[in-house]
Amino acid sequence: MANTRGKKAKRKAREKQIQEARSLASLQKRRELIAAGIDDGKHRNRKGKGIDYSAEIAFEKRAPAGFYDTADEDRHADDH
């Protein structure tokens, strides 16, 4: 026999109803956005784990700005 009248059963039923309402609301929102032409479902911005190696240099650490002017050295390196 399932407990259908206790506090726990009421809480579970309430949580289930809230979850169902939340999923219906998100479905409705998605449908409205598609109808308005804002979201076509293809451009979901999900952040993947790790580094996007095609978009950035992995573990790049730029040198801090120094105390000395290196413009001459840069120009000399470009000549060779």
Side-chain angles (χ1 to χ4, degrees):
M1 288 175 57
N3 185 10
T4 58
R5 288 190 254 189
K7 288 182 182 178
K8 200 174 198 179
K10 288 177 185 174
R11 186 177 70 237
K12 281 194 170 253
R14 186 170 53 244
E15 287 174 353
K16 187 175 180 181
Q17 191 174 14
I18 289 171
Q19 179 62 33
E20 188 176 335
R22 190 178 293 139
S23 67
L24 285 173
S26 75
L27 180 67
Q28 180 68 24
K29 181 178 180 182
R30 199 174 321 126
R31 283 181 180 164
E32 288 176 2
L33 287 172
I34 291 171
I38 297 172
D39 185 12
D40 59 351
K42 294 178 185 173
H43 301 292
R44 287 265 168 114
N45 194 7
R46 291 190 180 173
K47 189 145 184 145
K49 292 183 180 178
I51 299 171
D52 184 10
Y53 292 102
S54 62
E56 59 188 67
I57 299 171
F59 308 110
E60 176 187 22
K61 188 172 182 182
R62 297 232 167 183
F67 298 108
Y68 305 103
D69 182 30
T70 59
D72 259 357
E73 296 171 9
D74 293 339
R75 213 172 318 128
H76 184 68
D78 290 339
D79 291 343
H80 291 314

